[in-house]
Amino acid sequence: MGEPDRVRPHEGAVGGVRDLPAAIVVAAGLVAAGGILGWFGLKDVSGALSFAGRMTGFFALVAALVMFLAAVAACDHWRGRSFRASGMFVLVAVLLVLVINTGLLAIQIQERELTNWLFVWIALTAWSGWAVWLLLRREKVWKDISAPRTFAVGALVTTLLAFGNFAYSQVYLPYSTPMLVSVTAEFENPVADDATGGTAVPLRLTLKNGGKVSAYVPQSLYVVQGQYEETGQAAETRKSWLYGASNGVVRDDFQIKDATVIENGMIFYPGTDTWLDPGETRTVDRVVRLPRDIKYRTLMAYAEAILVRKDRVFLDAPDVQKSWDEASLKHISDAPEWVRGGAPSGVDFLKWTFPLREGSHLAAATRKQKHLTTWWMLRNPAIAVTVSPSREGENVRPTAEDMNTLLARYGLELIDSGSAEMPVEALTKSR
C-alpha cells in the first residue's frame, strides 16, 4: 500500500487555509501599499515637473504592480501553492514596501517636516517588518525554491534598484545640474532730453539663461545711484511716488549712505509667467532722466534677481500686499526687521506671497506645504526672499544653513550684476 496523502503545511484537514488571518493581513497590506504607491505613480507620471520625477512615477507604478501581483501570490502561498515560488515573490514585494517606506520615513524625520503621511509610512514600515519576520521565521519561504541564493540576490538587486532610483531623482539630481542664469545692467550712450533740457540715459537690463534648467524669476530689482546735494522726499509727491511703486518704478532722489538713489524698480513684475527657459534671454530698456544741473560725480547702476528652479517647484499666482492704505496713503504695516536691514519702521514696501508646490506628488507627501515670499523695499532699495510653511516664519531671518538647504532643494538663490558706471563728463557731453 502507498503512503497516505499528507496534509500540506498551510492547509487544514478539509483543504482550507490554516493561517487565514496571516494570509488576509499580508494580502491586504500589499494591496494597501500598492494602491498608495500607484496613486503617487499615476500623479507623477503625468504631472511631475522633471523627467526624473516622471521616471520615479513610472517606477512607482511598476512597484505597485509587483505588490498587487504579490497579493495574489500570498493567497496562493497560504492556499494551494500552485506556484512553488509564490512565497518568495511575496517576500520580494514586502521587502520593496519596507525599503520604500523606510526611506520616506527617514526623509521626513531627517528634514523635520512632518506631514499627515508620516502615519502611513510608520504603519507600512511596521507592517512590512512584521511580514518579513513572518515569511522568514515562520513560513521559511526560501525552502520552496531550488536556488534560494540566486533568488535572494535577484530580490536584493531589484530592491536596491528601486531605492537607488528614488535616491538619484530626489537627492542627487538637485545637486548635479546647476542653473546658469546671469543678470546685467549696462548704460548706453546718453542723449539730450529736449523735453526737460536735461539728459536721458538709456539703461539696458538683461537676464540670460545659459544653462539647461528653466528658472523662475519671482523678484528682480535695478537701482540707479549718484551723488546729489539735496536729500529727502517732498510730502506732496508721496501720492505719485507710491503710484509709481505700484507699477514697478520709483523715480525719486533721496540719500543712502554716500550715494543718492535716483531711480529703482523691478525688471519684471512678479507673476507666474516670469521665467527663463534654457537659452532664453530677456531684455528690458529703461530711460533714466536727469536734470540739466547735474551734480553727480558718477552715475552707477546694478541689478539683482531671485531665482528658483522650475524643475523642482511650481509657483502659483501670488498675493500682493502693500505697506500703505490705498485711500489715505497712510503707512499701515512694517516689513520684518531682518528685511528692513536696520532701517527704521515706517519704510514702505511691496510683498508678494507665492504658494509653492513641490515638483512631484511624492516629494510633496514628505514635506510641509510652503509659500515663497519676496519683498521690495522702496527706500534703501533692496529685495529679500524666504520660504516658510507659515506666515510667522517670514519674521525670522533664514540662516546660512537654511539658504544652503533652499539652494539644494529648490535652487533658490540671489544673483547680482555688479556695478555699471558712467562718469559725469559723459553726461554733460551729451548736451
Side-chain angles (χ1 to χ4, degrees):
M1 297 179 63
E3 294 184 1
D5 292 339
R6 295 180 179 178
V7 176
R8 303 186 70 149
H10 299 287
E11 295 181 3
V14 294
V17 180
R18 188 187 69 176
D19 198 353
L20 181 61
I24 292 175
V25 173
V26 171
L30 287 167
V31 170
I36 293 171
L37 198 60
W39 182 81
F40 282 118
L42 285 173
K43 291 283 189 180
D44 283 341
V45 161
S46 60
L49 294 179
S50 65
F51 175 77
R54 298 195 177 200
M55 286 302 297
T56 299
F58 171 77
F59 282 114
L61 286 177
V62 172
L65 178 61
V66 169
M67 294 170 194
F68 289 141
L69 293 176
V72 177
C75 298
D76 176 76
H77 173 76
W78 267 281
R79 180 63 179 87
R81 295 198 189 182
S82 57
F83 176 57
R84 187 175 183 182
S86 58
M88 283 299 293
F89 186 70
V90 174
L91 178 61
V92 170
V94 168
L95 286 172
L96 201 58
V97 176
L98 179 62
V99 169
I100 291 174
N101 286 276
T102 301
L104 293 170
L105 181 60
I107 288 174
Q108 287 213 255
I109 294 175
Q110 188 270 330
E111 295 186 352
R112 299 178 182 177
E113 295 189 10
L114 307 184
T115 69
N116 293 333
W117 285 99
L118 175 67
F119 303 103
V120 176
W121 314 143
I122 292 174
L124 288 176
T125 299
W127 168 86
S128 55
W130 168 82
V132 168
W133 172 85
L134 177 73
L135 293 165
L136 292 179
R137 295 296 300 273
R138 282 182 49 185
E139 299 300 316
K140 297 180 173 55
V141 295
W142 67 84
K143 293 184 178 180
D144 293 335
I145 58 175
S146 56
R149 289 185 179 180
T150 302
F151 197 94
V153 170
L156 179 62
V157 169
T158 301
T159 304
L160 290 177
L161 284 175
F163 182 78
N165 170 73
F166 177 78
Y168 175 77
S169 62
Q170 301 299 322
V171 178
Y172 174 70
L173 280 179
Y175 291 90
S176 64
T177 310
M179 287 190 299
L180 296 175
V181 179
S182 61
V183 59
T184 58
E186 298 175 296
F187 286 120
E188 298 187 335
N189 294 330
V191 296
D193 187 350
D194 296 333
T196 63
T199 305
V201 184
L203 175 65
R204 173 154 290 189
L205 305 160
T206 304
L207 275 162
K208 180 179 180 180
N209 188 347
K212 298 180 180 180
V213 179
S214 296
Y216 280 113
V217 188
Q219 187 60 270
S220 57
L221 172 74
Y222 73 93
V223 180
V224 181
Q225 294 178 333
Q227 291 185 346
Y228 198 62
E229 290 184 353
E230 298 179 75
T231 62
Q233 174 194 341
E236 59 270 21
T237 67
R238 178 171 172 79
K239 182 175 182 179
S240 60
W241 192 70
L242 293 180
Y243 177 80
S246 299
N247 289 278
V249 178
V250 172
R251 301 181 188 275
D252 192 27
D253 295 326
F254 55 89
Q255 197 74 25
I256 170 173
K257 296 182 179 178
D258 296 328
T260 298
V261 175
I262 303 166
E263 177 176 316
N264 77 99
M266 295 175 286
I267 304 175
F268 305 124
Y269 197 87
T272 56
D273 62 340
T274 308
W275 70 75
L276 292 170
D277 289 323
E280 183 179 4
T281 299
R282 288 197 182 191
T283 300
V284 174
D285 291 317
R286 305 288 190 190
V287 177
V288 182
R289 301 188 183 278
L290 303 174
R292 181 175 182 81
D293 184 18
I294 300 174
K295 298 182 180 179
Y296 308 118
R297 291 199 301 265
T298 303
L299 196 65
M300 298 171 291
Y302 66 88
E304 298 178 341
I306 294 169
L307 306 176
V308 181
R309 291 176 65 110
K310 196 171 180 288
D311 65 342
R312 307 309 299 174
V313 299
F314 186 89
L315 297 182
D316 290 323
D319 293 328
V320 184
Q321 177 186 339
K322 300 176 181 178
S323 62
W324 64 90
D325 177 72
E326 290 282 9
S328 65
L329 304 181
K330 181 181 179 181
H331 183 87
I332 56 175
S333 63
D334 287 323
E337 186 174 354
W338 72 270
V339 175
R340 300 201 306 267
S345 59
V347 177
D348 286 305
F349 67 87
L350 285 166
K351 181 177 80 170
W352 290 263
T353 302
F354 297 80
L356 183 150
R357 288 187 282 155
E358 302 287 341
S360 74
H361 288 80
L362 193 58
T366 61
R367 293 167 182 165
K368 289 182 178 180
Q369 174 67 48
K370 299 181 184 64
H371 61 269
L372 181 147
T373 304
T374 67
W375 289 265
W376 172 29
M377 303 303 296
L378 305 186
R379 281 192 178 278
N380 294 2
I383 53 177
V385 62
T386 188
V387 175
S388 62
S390 65
R391 299 282 180 172
E392 291 73 19
E394 298 174 356
N395 298 321
V396 181
R397 177 192 290 272
T399 64
E401 183 180 355
D402 292 336
M403 294 306 295
N404 288 335
T405 299
L406 293 174
L407 173 62
R409 182 182 296 178
Y410 304 127
L412 176 66
E413 60 179 318
L414 176 67
I415 61 173
D416 66 80
S417 64
S419 179
E421 298 185 359
M422 177 174 287
V424 68
E425 290 81 4
L427 301 178
T428 56
K429 288 179 181 179
S430 65
R431 296 199 295 266

